[in-house]
Coordinates of all heavy atoms in Angstrom, one line a residue:
M1154 N 18.1 -20.5 0.8 CA 16.9 -19.7 0.9 C 17.1 -18.7 2.1 O 16.7 -17.6 2.1 CB 15.7 -20.5 1.1 CG 14.4 -19.8 1.1 SD 14.1 -19.0 -0.5 CE 12.5 -18.4 -0.3
E1155 N 17.7 -19.3 3.2 CA 17.9 -18.5 4.4 C 18.8 -17.3 4.1 O 18.6 -16.2 4.6 CB 18.4 -19.3 5.6 CG 18.5 -18.6 6.9 CD 19.0 -19.5 8.0 OE1 18.5 -20.6 8.0 OE2 19.8 -19.0 8.8
N1156 N 19.9 -17.5 3.4 CA 20.8 -16.5 3.0 C 20.1 -15.4 2.2 O 20.4 -14.2 2.4 CB 22.0 -17.0 2.3 CG 22.9 -17.9 3.2 OD1 22.9 -17.7 4.4 ND2 23.6 -18.8 2.6
F1157 N 19.2 -15.8 1.3 CA 18.5 -14.8 0.5 C 17.6 -13.9 1.3 O 17.6 -12.7 1.2 CB 17.7 -15.5 -0.6 CG 16.8 -14.6 -1.4 CD1 17.4 -13.8 -2.4 CD2 15.5 -14.5 -1.2 CE1 16.7 -12.9 -3.1 CE2 14.7 -13.7 -2.0 CZ 15.3 -12.9 -2.9
L1158 N 16.9 -14.5 2.3 CA 16.0 -13.8 3.1 C 16.8 -12.8 4.1 O 16.4 -11.7 4.3 CB 15.1 -14.7 3.9 CG 14.1 -15.5 3.1 CD1 13.3 -16.4 4.0 CD2 13.1 -14.6 2.4
T1159 N 17.9 -13.3 4.5 CA 18.8 -12.5 5.4 C 19.3 -11.3 4.6 O 19.3 -10.2 5.1 CB 20.0 -13.3 5.9 OG1 19.4 -14.4 6.7 CG2 20.8 -12.4 6.9
C1160 N 19.7 -11.5 3.3 CA 20.1 -10.4 2.5 C 19.1 -9.4 2.3 O 19.3 -8.2 2.4 CB 20.6 -11.0 1.1 SG 21.2 -9.8 0.0
I1161 N 17.9 -9.9 1.9 CA 16.7 -9.0 1.7 C 16.4 -8.2 3.0 O 16.2 -7.0 3.0 CB 15.5 -9.8 1.3 CG1 15.7 -10.4 0.0 CG2 14.2 -8.9 1.3 CD1 15.8 -9.5 -1.2
E1162 N 16.4 -8.9 4.1 CA 16.2 -8.2 5.4 C 17.2 -7.1 5.7 O 16.9 -6.1 6.3 CB 16.2 -9.3 6.5 CG 15.8 -8.8 7.9 CD 15.8 -9.9 8.9 OE1 15.0 -10.8 8.8 OE2 16.7 -9.9 9.8
N1163 N 18.4 -7.4 5.4 CA 19.5 -6.4 5.7 C 19.5 -5.2 4.8 O 19.9 -4.1 5.2 CB 20.9 -7.1 5.5 CG 21.1 -8.0 6.6 OD1 20.5 -7.9 7.7 ND2 22.0 -9.0 6.4
Y1164 N 18.9 -5.3 3.5 CA 19.0 -4.2 2.6 C 17.7 -3.5 2.3 O 17.7 -2.4 1.8 CB 19.6 -4.7 1.3 CG 21.1 -5.1 1.4 CD1 21.5 -6.4 1.4 CD2 22.0 -4.1 1.5 CE1 22.8 -6.7 1.5 CE2 23.4 -4.4 1.7 CZ 23.7 -5.7 1.6 OH 25.0 -6.1 1.8
L1165 N 16.6 -4.1 2.6 CA 15.3 -3.5 2.4 C 15.0 -2.5 3.4 O 15.0 -2.7 4.6 CB 14.2 -4.6 2.4 CG 12.9 -4.3 1.7 CD1 13.1 -4.1 0.2 CD2 11.9 -5.4 1.9
V1166 N 14.6 -1.3 3.0 CA 14.3 -0.2 3.9 C 12.8 0.1 3.7 O 12.4 0.6 2.7 CB 15.2 1.1 3.5 CG1 14.8 2.2 4.5 CG2 16.6 0.8 3.5
V1167 N 12.1 -0.2 4.8 CA 10.6 -0.2 4.7 C 10.1 1.2 4.4 O 9.2 1.4 3.6 CB 10.0 -0.7 6.0 CG1 8.5 -0.6 6.0 CG2 10.4 -2.2 6.2
L1168 N 10.7 2.2 5.0 CA 10.3 3.6 4.8 C 10.4 4.0 3.3 O 9.5 4.6 2.7 CB 11.1 4.6 5.7 CG 10.7 6.0 5.6 CD1 9.3 6.2 6.1 CD2 11.7 6.8 6.4
V1169 N 11.5 3.5 2.7 CA 11.8 3.8 1.3 C 10.8 3.1 0.4 O 10.3 3.6 -0.6 CB 13.2 3.5 0.9 CG1 13.5 3.7 -0.6 CG2 14.2 4.4 1.7
V1170 N 10.5 1.8 0.7 CA 9.5 1.0 0.0 C 8.2 1.7 0.0 O 7.5 1.9 -1.1 CB 9.4 -0.4 0.5 CG1 8.3 -1.2 -0.1 CG2 10.7 -1.2 0.4
L1171 N 7.7 2.1 1.1 CA 6.4 2.7 1.3 C 6.3 4.1 0.5 O 5.4 4.4 -0.1 CB 6.0 2.9 2.7 CG 5.8 1.5 3.5 CD1 5.5 1.8 4.9 CD2 4.7 0.7 2.8
A1172 N 7.4 4.9 0.7 CA 7.4 6.2 0.0 C 7.4 6.0 -1.5 O 6.7 6.6 -2.3 CB 8.7 7.0 0.4
C1173 N 8.2 5.0 -2.0 CA 8.2 4.8 -3.5 C 6.9 4.2 -4.0 O 6.5 4.5 -5.1 CB 9.4 3.8 -3.8 SG 11.0 4.6 -3.7
L1174 N 6.3 3.3 -3.1 CA 5.0 2.8 -3.5 C 4.0 3.9 -3.7 O 3.2 3.9 -4.7 CB 4.5 1.8 -2.4 CG 3.2 1.1 -2.6 CD1 3.2 0.2 -3.9 CD2 2.8 0.3 -1.4
C1175 N 3.9 4.9 -2.8 CA 3.0 6.0 -2.9 C 3.3 6.9 -4.1 O 2.4 7.2 -4.9 CB 3.0 6.8 -1.6 SG 2.4 5.9 -0.2
V1176 N 4.6 7.2 -4.3 CA 4.9 8.1 -5.4 C 4.7 7.3 -6.8 O 4.1 7.9 -7.7 CB 6.4 8.5 -5.4 CG1 6.9 9.2 -6.6 CG2 6.6 9.4 -4.1
G1177 N 5.0 6.0 -6.8 CA 4.7 5.3 -8.0 C 3.2 5.2 -8.4 O 2.8 5.3 -9.5
F1178 N 2.4 5.0 -7.3 CA 1.0 5.0 -7.5 C 0.5 6.4 -8.1 O -0.4 6.4 -9.0 CB 0.3 4.7 -6.2 CG -1.2 4.6 -6.3 CD1 -1.8 3.4 -6.7 CD2 -2.0 5.7 -6.0 CE1 -3.2 3.3 -6.7 CE2 -3.4 5.6 -6.0 CZ -4.0 4.4 -6.4
I1179 N 1.0 7.4 -7.5 CA 0.6 8.8 -7.9 C 1.0 9.0 -9.4 O 0.2 9.5 -10.2 CB 1.2 9.9 -7.0 CG1 0.5 9.8 -5.7 CG2 1.0 11.2 -7.6 CD1 1.2 10.6 -4.6
I1180 N 2.2 8.6 -9.7 CA 2.7 8.8 -11.1 C 1.8 8.0 -12.1 O 1.4 8.5 -13.1 CB 4.2 8.4 -11.3 CG1 5.1 9.4 -10.5 CG2 4.6 8.3 -12.7 CD1 6.5 9.0 -10.5
K1181 N 1.6 6.8 -11.7 CA 0.8 5.9 -12.6 C -0.6 6.4 -12.8 O -1.1 6.3 -13.9 CB 0.7 4.5 -12.0 CG 0.0 3.5 -12.9 CD 0.1 2.1 -12.3 CE -0.5 1.1 -13.2 NZ 0.0 0.9 -14.5
H1182 N -1.2 7.0 -11.8 CA -2.6 7.5 -12.0 C -2.7 9.0 -12.3 O -3.8 9.5 -12.7 CB -3.4 7.2 -10.7 CG -3.6 5.7 -10.5 ND1 -2.7 4.9 -9.9 CD2 -4.6 4.9 -11.0 CE1 -3.1 3.7 -9.9 NE2 -4.3 3.6 -10.6
L1183 N -1.6 9.7 -12.2 CA -1.6 11.1 -12.6 C -1.3 11.4 -14.1 O -1.9 12.3 -14.7 CB -0.6 11.9 -11.7 CG -0.6 13.4 -11.8 CD1 -1.9 14.0 -11.3 CD2 0.6 14.0 -11.1
I1184 N -0.5 10.6 -14.6 CA -0.1 10.8 -16.0 C -0.8 9.7 -16.9 O -0.6 8.5 -16.7 CB 1.5 10.6 -16.2 CG1 2.2 11.6 -15.3 CG2 1.8 10.7 -17.7 CD1 3.7 11.4 -15.3
P1185 N -1.7 10.2 -17.8 CA -2.5 9.3 -18.6 C -1.6 8.6 -19.6 O -0.6 9.1 -20.0 CB -3.5 10.2 -19.2 CG -2.9 11.5 -19.2 CD -2.0 11.6 -18.1
G1186 N -2.1 7.4 -20.0 CA -1.4 6.7 -21.0 C -0.4 5.7 -20.5 O -0.1 5.7 -19.3
D1187 N 0.0 4.8 -21.4 CA 0.9 3.7 -21.0 C 2.4 4.1 -21.2 O 3.3 3.3 -20.8 CB 0.6 2.4 -21.8 CG -0.7 1.9 -21.4 OD1 -1.1 2.1 -20.2 OD2 -1.4 1.2 -22.2
K1188 N 2.7 5.2 -21.7 CA 4.1 5.6 -22.0 C 4.9 5.7 -20.7 O 6.1 5.3 -20.7 CB 4.2 6.9 -22.8 CG 3.7 6.8 -24.2 CD 3.9 8.1 -25.0 CE 3.4 7.9 -26.4 NZ 3.7 9.0 -27.2
I1189 N 4.4 6.2 -19.7 CA 5.1 6.3 -18.4 C 5.3 5.0 -17.7 O 6.3 4.9 -16.9 CB 4.4 7.4 -17.5 CG1 5.3 7.8 -16.4 CG2 3.1 6.9 -17.0 CD1 6.5 8.6 -16.8
N1190 N 4.4 4.1 -17.9 CA 4.4 2.8 -17.1 C 5.7 2.1 -17.2 O 6.2 1.5 -16.3 CB 3.3 1.9 -17.5 CG 1.9 2.4 -17.1 OD1 1.9 3.3 -16.3 ND2 0.9 1.8 -17.6
K1191 N 6.4 2.1 -18.4 CA 7.6 1.3 -18.6 C 8.8 2.0 -17.8 O 9.8 1.4 -17.6 CB 7.9 1.1 -20.0 CG 8.2 2.4 -20.8 CD 8.5 2.0 -22.3 CE 8.7 3.3 -23.1 NZ 8.9 3.0 -24.5
F1192 N 8.6 3.3 -17.5 CA 9.7 4.0 -16.8 C 9.5 4.0 -15.2 O 10.4 4.4 -14.5 CB 9.8 5.4 -17.3 CG 10.3 5.5 -18.7 CD1 9.4 5.9 -19.7 CD2 11.6 5.1 -19.0 CE1 9.8 5.9 -21.0 CE2 12.0 5.2 -20.3 CZ 11.1 5.6 -21.3
I1193 N 8.4 3.6 -14.8 CA 8.1 3.6 -13.3 C 9.1 2.8 -12.5 O 9.6 3.3 -11.5 CB 6.7 3.2 -13.0 CG1 5.7 4.3 -13.5 CG2 6.5 3.0 -11.5 CD1 4.2 4.0 -13.3
P1194 N 9.5 1.6 -12.9 CA 10.6 0.9 -12.1 C 11.9 1.7 -12.1 O 12.5 1.8 -11.0 CB 10.7 -0.4 -12.9 CG 9.4 -0.7 -13.5 CD 9.0 0.7 -13.9
L1195 N 12.3 2.3 -13.2 CA 13.5 3.1 -13.2 C 13.4 4.3 -12.3 O 14.3 4.6 -11.5 CB 13.8 3.6 -14.6 CG 15.0 4.5 -14.8 CD1 16.3 3.9 -14.4 CD2 15.1 5.1 -16.2
I1196 N 12.2 5.0 -12.3 CA 12.0 6.1 -11.5 C 12.0 5.7 -10.0 O 12.6 6.4 -9.2 CB 10.7 6.8 -11.9 CG1 10.7 7.4 -13.3 CG2 10.3 7.9 -10.8 CD1 9.4 7.8 -13.8
M1197 N 11.4 4.6 -9.7 CA 11.4 4.2 -8.3 C 12.8 3.7 -7.8 O 13.1 4.0 -6.7 CB 10.4 3.0 -8.1 CG 8.9 3.4 -8.4 SD 8.4 4.8 -7.4 CE 8.5 6.1 -8.5
A1198 N 13.5 3.1 -8.7 CA 14.9 2.7 -8.3 C 15.7 4.0 -8.0 O 16.4 4.0 -7.0 CB 15.6 1.9 -9.4
L1199 N 15.7 5.0 -8.8 CA 16.4 6.2 -8.6 C 15.9 7.0 -7.4 O 16.7 7.5 -6.6 CB 16.3 7.1 -9.8 CG 17.0 6.6 -11.1 CD1 16.7 7.5 -12.3 CD2 18.5 6.4 -10.9
L1200 N 14.6 7.0 -7.2 CA 14.0 7.6 -6.0 C 14.4 6.9 -4.8 O 14.7 7.5 -3.7 CB 12.5 7.7 -6.1 CG 11.7 8.3 -4.9 CD1 12.2 9.8 -4.7 CD2 10.2 8.2 -5.1
G1201 N 14.4 5.6 -4.8 CA 14.8 4.8 -3.7 C 16.3 5.0 -3.3 O 16.6 5.2 -2.1
V1202 N 17.2 5.2 -4.2 CA 18.6 5.5 -3.9 C 18.6 6.9 -3.3 O 19.3 7.1 -2.3 CB 19.4 5.5 -5.2 CG1 20.8 6.1 -4.9 CG2 19.6 4.0 -5.7
F1203 N 17.9 7.9 -3.9 CA 17.9 9.2 -3.3 C 17.4 9.3 -1.9 O 18.0 9.9 -1.0 CB 17.1 10.2 -4.2 CG 16.9 11.5 -3.6 CD1 17.9 12.5 -3.7 CD2 15.7 11.9 -2.9 CE1 17.8 13.7 -3.2 CE2 15.6 13.1 -2.4 CZ 16.6 14.1 -2.5
L1204 N 16.3 8.6 -1.7 CA 15.7 8.6 -0.3 C 16.6 7.9 0.7 O 16.8 8.3 1.8 CB 14.3 7.9 -0.3 CG 13.2 8.7 -1.0 CD1 11.9 7.8 -1.1 CD2 12.9 10.0 -0.3
N1205 N 17.2 6.8 0.3 CA 18.1 6.0 1.2 C 19.4 6.8 1.5 O 19.8 6.8 2.6 CB 18.5 4.7 0.6 CG 18.8 3.7 1.7 OD1 18.4 3.8 2.8 ND2 19.6 2.7 1.3
V1206 N 19.9 7.6 0.5 CA 21.0 8.5 0.8 C 20.6 9.6 1.8 O 21.3 9.9 2.7 CB 21.6 9.1 -0.5 CG1 22.6 10.2 -0.3 CG2 22.2 8.0 -1.4
W1207 N 19.4 10.1 1.5 CA 18.9 11.2 2.4 C 18.7 10.7 3.8 O 19.1 11.4 4.8 CB 17.6 11.7 1.8 CG 17.0 12.8 2.7 CD1 17.5 14.0 3.0 CD2 15.7 12.7 3.2 NE1 16.6 14.7 3.8 CE2 15.5 14.0 3.9 CE3 14.6 11.8 3.2 CZ2 14.3 14.2 4.6 CZ3 13.4 12.1 3.8 CH2 13.3 13.3 4.5
I1208 N 18.1 9.5 4.0 CA 17.9 8.9 5.3 C 19.2 8.7 6.0 O 19.3 8.8 7.3 CB 17.1 7.6 5.2 CG1 15.7 7.9 4.8 CG2 17.2 6.8 6.4 CD1 14.9 6.6 4.4
N1209 N 20.3 8.4 5.3 CA 21.6 8.1 5.9 C 22.4 9.4 5.9 O 23.7 9.3 5.8 CB 22.3 7.0 5.1 CG 21.7 5.6 5.4 OD1 21.9 5.1 6.5 ND2 20.9 5.1 4.5
S1210 N 21.8 10.5 6.1 CA 22.5 11.8 6.3 C 23.5 12.1 5.1 O 24.6 12.5 5.3 CB 23.3 11.8 7.6 OG 22.5 11.6 8.7
W1211 N 23.0 11.8 3.9 CA 23.7 12.1 2.7 C 25.0 11.3 2.5 O 25.9 11.7 1.7 CB 24.0 13.6 2.5 CG 22.7 14.4 2.5 CD1 22.2 15.2 3.5 CD2 21.7 14.4 1.5 NE1 21.0 15.7 3.1 CE2 20.6 15.2 1.9 CE3 21.5 13.8 0.2 CZ2 19.5 15.5 1.1 CZ3 20.4 14.0 -0.5 CH2 19.4 14.9 -0.1
A1212 N 25.1 10.2 3.2 CA 26.3 9.3 3.1 C 26.0 8.4 1.9 O 24.8 8.2 1.5 CB 26.5 8.5 4.3
F1213 N 27.0 8.0 1.2 CA 26.9 7.2 0.0 C 27.9 6.0 0.1 O 29.1 6.3 0.3 CB 27.0 8.0 -1.3 CG 26.6 7.2 -2.5 CD1 25.3 7.1 -2.9 CD2 27.6 6.6 -3.3 CE1 24.9 6.3 -4.0 CE2 27.2 5.9 -4.4 CZ 25.9 5.8 -4.8
S1214 N 27.4 4.8 -0.1 CA 28.2 3.7 -0.1 C 27.6 2.6 -0.9 O 26.4 2.7 -1.3 CB 28.5 3.1 1.3 OG 27.3 2.6 1.8
P1215 N 28.2 1.5 -1.3 CA 27.6 0.5 -2.0 C 26.4 -0.1 -1.3 O 25.4 -0.5 -1.9 CB 28.7 -0.6 -2.2 CG 30.0 0.2 -2.2 CD 29.7 1.3 -1.2
V1216 N 26.5 -0.2 0.0 CA 25.4 -0.8 0.8 C 24.2 0.2 0.7 O 23.0 -0.3 0.6 CB 25.8 -1.0 2.3 CG1 24.6 -1.3 3.2 CG2 26.9 -2.0 2.4
I1217 N 24.4 1.4 0.8 CA 23.3 2.4 0.7 C 22.7 2.4 -0.7 O 21.5 2.5 -0.9 CB 23.7 3.8 1.1 CG1 24.1 3.8 2.6 CG2 22.7 4.9 0.8 CD1 24.7 5.1 3.1
L1218 N 23.5 2.3 -1.7 CA 23.1 2.2 -3.1 C 22.2 1.0 -3.3 O 21.1 1.1 -3.8 CB 24.3 2.2 -4.1 CG 24.0 1.9 -5.5 CD1 23.2 3.1 -6.1 CD2 25.2 1.7 -6.3
L1219 N 22.7 -0.2 -2.9 CA 21.9 -1.4 -3.0 C 20.6 -1.4 -2.2 O 19.6 -1.8 -2.7 CB 22.8 -2.6 -2.5 CG 22.2 -4.0 -2.7 CD1 21.9 -4.3 -4.1 CD2 23.1 -5.0 -2.1
G1220 N 20.7 -0.8 -1.0 CA 19.4 -0.7 -0.2 C 18.4 0.2 -0.9 O 17.2 -0.2 -0.9
G1221 N 18.8 1.3 -1.5 CA 17.9 2.2 -2.2 C 17.3 1.5 -3.5 O 16.1 1.6 -3.7
L1222 N 18.2 0.9 -4.2 CA 17.8 0.2 -5.5 C 16.8 -0.9 -5.1 O 15.7 -1.0 -5.7 CB 18.9 -0.4 -6.2 CG 19.8 0.6 -7.0 CD1 21.1 -0.1 -7.5 CD2 19.1 1.3 -8.1
L1223 N 17.1 -1.7 -4.2 CA 16.3 -2.9 -3.8 C 14.9 -2.4 -3.3 O 13.9 -2.9 -3.6 CB 17.0 -3.7 -2.8 CG 16.3 -5.0 -2.4 CD1 16.1 -5.9 -3.5 CD2 17.0 -5.7 -1.3
S1224 N 15.0 -1.4 -2.5 CA 13.7 -0.9 -1.9 C 12.8 -0.2 -2.9 O 11.6 -0.4 -2.9 CB 14.0 0.1 -0.7 OG 14.8 -0.5 0.3
G1225 N 13.4 0.6 -3.8 CA 12.6 1.2 -4.9 C 12.0 0.2 -5.8 O 10.8 0.3 -6.1
L1226 N 12.8 -0.8 -6.2 CA 12.2 -1.8 -7.1 C 11.2 -2.7 -6.4 O 10.3 -3.2 -7.0 CB 13.4 -2.6 -7.7 CG 14.3 -1.9 -8.7 CD1 15.5 -2.7 -9.1 CD2 13.5 -1.4 -9.9
A1227 N 11.4 -3.0 -5.1 CA 10.5 -3.8 -4.3 C 9.1 -3.1 -4.3 O 8.1 -3.8 -4.2 CB 11.0 -4.0 -2.9
S1228 N 9.1 -1.8 -4.3 CA 7.8 -1.1 -4.3 C 7.0 -1.4 -5.5 O 5.8 -1.5 -5.5 CB 8.0 0.4 -4.1 OG 8.5 1.0 -5.3
T1229 N 7.7 -1.5 -6.7 CA 6.9 -1.9 -7.9 C 6.4 -3.3 -7.8 O 5.3 -3.6 -8.3 CB 7.8 -1.7 -9.2 OG1 8.9 -2.5 -9.1 CG2 8.3 -0.2 -9.3
G1230 N 7.2 -4.2 -7.3 CA 6.7 -5.6 -7.1 C 5.6 -5.6 -6.1 O 4.6 -6.4 -6.3
L1231 N 5.7 -4.9 -5.0 CA 4.6 -4.8 -4.0 C 3.3 -4.3 -4.7 O 2.2 -4.8 -4.4 CB 5.0 -4.0 -2.9 CG 4.0 -3.9 -1.7 CD1 3.8 -5.3 -1.1 CD2 4.6 -3.0 -0.6
H1232 N 3.4 -3.3 -5.5 CA 2.2 -2.8 -6.2 C 1.6 -3.9 -7.1 O 0.4 -4.0 -7.1 CB 2.6 -1.6 -7.1 CG 1.5 -1.1 -7.9 ND1 1.2 -1.5 -9.2 CD2 0.5 -0.2 -7.6 CE1 0.2 -0.9 -9.6 NE2 -0.3 -0.1 -8.7
Q1233 N 2.4 -4.6 -7.8 CA 1.8 -5.7 -8.7 C 1.2 -6.8 -7.8 O 0.1 -7.3 -8.2 CB 2.9 -6.3 -9.5 CG 3.4 -5.3 -10.6 CD 2.3 -4.9 -11.5 OE1 1.5 -5.7 -12.0 NE2 2.2 -3.6 -11.7
V1234 N 1.7 -7.2 -6.7 CA 1.1 -8.2 -5.9 C -0.2 -7.7 -5.3 O -1.2 -8.4 -5.4 CB 2.1 -8.5 -4.7 CG1 1.4 -9.4 -3.7 CG2 3.3 -9.3 -5.2
F1235 N -0.2 -6.4 -4.9 CA -1.5 -5.9 -4.4 C -2.5 -5.8 -5.4 O -3.7 -6.1 -5.2 CB -1.2 -4.5 -3.8 CG -2.4 -3.9 -3.1 CD1 -2.9 -4.4 -1.9 CD2 -3.0 -2.8 -3.7 CE1 -4.0 -3.8 -1.3 CE2 -4.1 -2.2 -3.1 CZ -4.6 -2.7 -1.9
K1236 N -2.1 -5.3 -6.6 CA -3.0 -5.2 -7.8 C -3.6 -6.6 -8.1 O -4.9 -6.7 -8.4 CB -2.3 -4.6 -9.0 CG -3.1 -4.5 -10.2 CD -2.3 -3.9 -11.3 CE -3.0 -3.9 -12.6 NZ -2.2 -3.5 -13.7
Q1237 N -2.8 -7.6 -8.2 CA -3.3 -8.9 -8.5 C -4.2 -9.5 -7.4 O -5.2 -10.2 -7.7 CB -2.2 -9.9 -8.8 CG -1.4 -9.6 -10.1 CD -0.2 -10.4 -10.3 OE1 0.1 -11.4 -9.5 NE2 0.6 -10.1 -11.3
F1238 N -3.9 -9.2 -6.2 CA -4.8 -9.6 -5.1 C -6.2 -8.9 -5.2 O -7.2 -9.6 -5.0 CB -4.1 -9.2 -3.8 CG -5.0 -9.6 -2.6 CD1 -5.2 -10.9 -2.2 CD2 -5.7 -8.6 -1.9 CE1 -6.0 -11.2 -1.1 CE2 -6.5 -8.9 -0.8 CZ -6.6 -10.2 -0.4
I1239 N -6.2 -7.6 -5.5 CA -7.5 -6.9 -5.6 C -8.3 -7.4 -6.7 O -9.5 -7.5 -6.7 CB -7.2 -5.4 -5.7 CG1 -6.6 -4.8 -4.4 CG2 -8.5 -4.6 -6.1 CD1 -7.5 -5.0 -3.2
E1240 N -7.6 -7.8 -7.9 CA -8.3 -8.2 -9.0 C -8.7 -9.7 -9.0 O -9.4 -10.2 -9.8 CB -7.5 -8.0 -10.3 CG -7.3 -6.5 -10.6 CD -6.3 -6.2 -11.7 OE1 -5.7 -7.2 -12.2 OE2 -6.2 -5.1 -12.1
S1241 N -8.3 -10.4 -7.9 CA -8.6 -11.8 -7.8 C -10.0 -12.0 -7.2 O -10.6 -11.1 -6.8 CB -7.5 -12.5 -6.9 OG -7.7 -12.1 -5.6
D1242 N -10.4 -13.3 -7.1 CA -11.7 -13.6 -6.5 C -11.7 -13.2 -5.0 O -12.7 -12.8 -4.5 CB -12.0 -15.1 -6.7 CG -12.2 -15.5 -8.1 OD1 -12.6 -14.6 -8.9 OD2 -12.0 -16.6 -8.5
I1243 N -10.6 -13.4 -4.4 CA -10.5 -13.1 -2.9 C -10.7 -11.5 -2.8 O -11.4 -11.1 -1.9 CB -9.2 -13.5 -2.3 CG1 -9.1 -15.0 -2.3 CG2 -9.0 -13.0 -0.9 CD1 -7.8 -15.6 -1.9
G1244 N -10.1 -10.8 -3.7 CA -10.3 -9.3 -3.7 C -11.7 -8.9 -3.9 O -12.2 -8.0 -3.2
D1245 N -12.4 -9.6 -4.8 CA -13.9 -9.4 -5.0 C -14.7 -9.7 -3.7 O -15.6 -8.9 -3.4 CB -14.4 -10.2 -6.2 CG -13.8 -9.7 -7.5 OD1 -13.3 -8.5 -7.6 OD2 -13.8 -10.5 -8.4
I1246 N -14.3 -10.7 -3.0 CA -15.0 -11.1 -1.8 C -14.8 -10.0 -0.8 O -15.8 -9.6 -0.1 CB -14.5 -12.5 -1.3 CG1 -15.0 -13.6 -2.2 CG2 -15.0 -12.7 0.1 CD1 -14.4 -14.9 -2.0
I1247 N -13.6 -9.6 -0.6 CA -13.3 -8.5 0.4 C -14.0 -7.2 0.0 O -14.5 -6.5 0.9 CB -11.8 -8.3 0.5 CG1 -11.1 -9.6 1.1 CG2 -11.4 -7.1 1.3 CD1 -9.6 -9.6 1.2
K1248 N -14.0 -6.9 -1.3 CA -14.7 -5.6 -1.7 C -16.2 -5.7 -1.4 O -16.8 -4.8 -0.9 CB -14.5 -5.4 -3.2 CG -13.1 -4.9 -3.6 CD -13.1 -4.5 -5.0 CE -12.2 -5.3 -5.7 NZ -12.1 -5.0 -7.2
G1249 N -16.8 -6.9 -1.6 CA -18.2 -7.1 -1.3 C -18.4 -6.9 0.2 O -19.4 -6.3 0.6
I1250 N -17.6 -7.5 1.0 CA -17.7 -7.4 2.5 C -17.6 -5.9 2.9 O -18.4 -5.4 3.8 CB -16.7 -8.2 3.2 CG1 -17.0 -9.7 3.0 CG2 -16.6 -7.9 4.7 CD1 -15.9 -10.7 3.4
L1251 N -16.6 -5.2 2.4 CA -16.4 -3.8 2.7 C -17.6 -2.9 2.3 O -17.9 -1.9 3.0 CB -15.1 -3.3 2.1 CG -13.9 -3.8 2.7 CD1 -12.6 -3.3 1.9 CD2 -13.7 -3.5 4.1
R1252 N -18.3 -3.3 1.2 CA -19.5 -2.6 0.8 C -20.7 -2.9 1.6 O -21.8 -2.3 1.5 CB -19.7 -2.9 -0.7 CG -18.8 -2.2 -1.6 CD -19.2 -2.4 -3.0 NE -18.1 -2.4 -3.9 CZ -17.7 -3.3 -4.7 NH1 -18.4 -4.4 -4.9 NH2 -16.6 -3.2 -5.5
G1253 N -20.6 -3.9 2.5 CA -21.7 -4.3 3.3 C -22.6 -5.3 2.7 O -23.6 -5.7 3.2
G1254 N -22.2 -5.8 1.5 CA -23.1 -6.8 0.8 C -22.5 -8.2 1.0 O -21.5 -8.4 1.6
R1255 N -23.3 -9.1 0.5 CA -22.9 -10.5 0.5 C -22.3 -10.9 -0.8 O -22.7 -10.4 -1.8 CB -24.0 -11.4 0.9 CG -24.6 -11.0 2.2 CD -25.0 -12.3 2.9 NE -25.5 -11.9 4.2 CZ -25.2 -12.5 5.3 NH1 -24.3 -13.4 5.3 NH2 -25.7 -12.1 6.5
T1256 N -21.4 -11.9 -0.8 CA -20.8 -12.4 -2.1 C -21.4 -13.7 -2.5 O -22.0 -14.4 -1.7 CB -19.3 -12.5 -2.0 OG1 -19.0 -13.4 -0.9 CG2 -18.7 -11.1 -1.7

């Protein structure tokens, strides 16, 4: 498990994850219908590679490729975790508190 976490820590680029998360959210809510949803992970993986290459001054290597792919795909997973959290009972409690009401 420690090796897995070290691998993730070495290849995950937080800036790329956040940028892909925002772009994926915009795509999902800008284009109506479910046809685009199945392509969002692919789009985020490609965008992640592009952004990681750009961040590394247009250098390209297997490490940069893997970092971009992992970061782009991680953004889709992060979106799903956040979505499930918001739709859960805890999310309803937090929404109630933010609205100033009691749950």
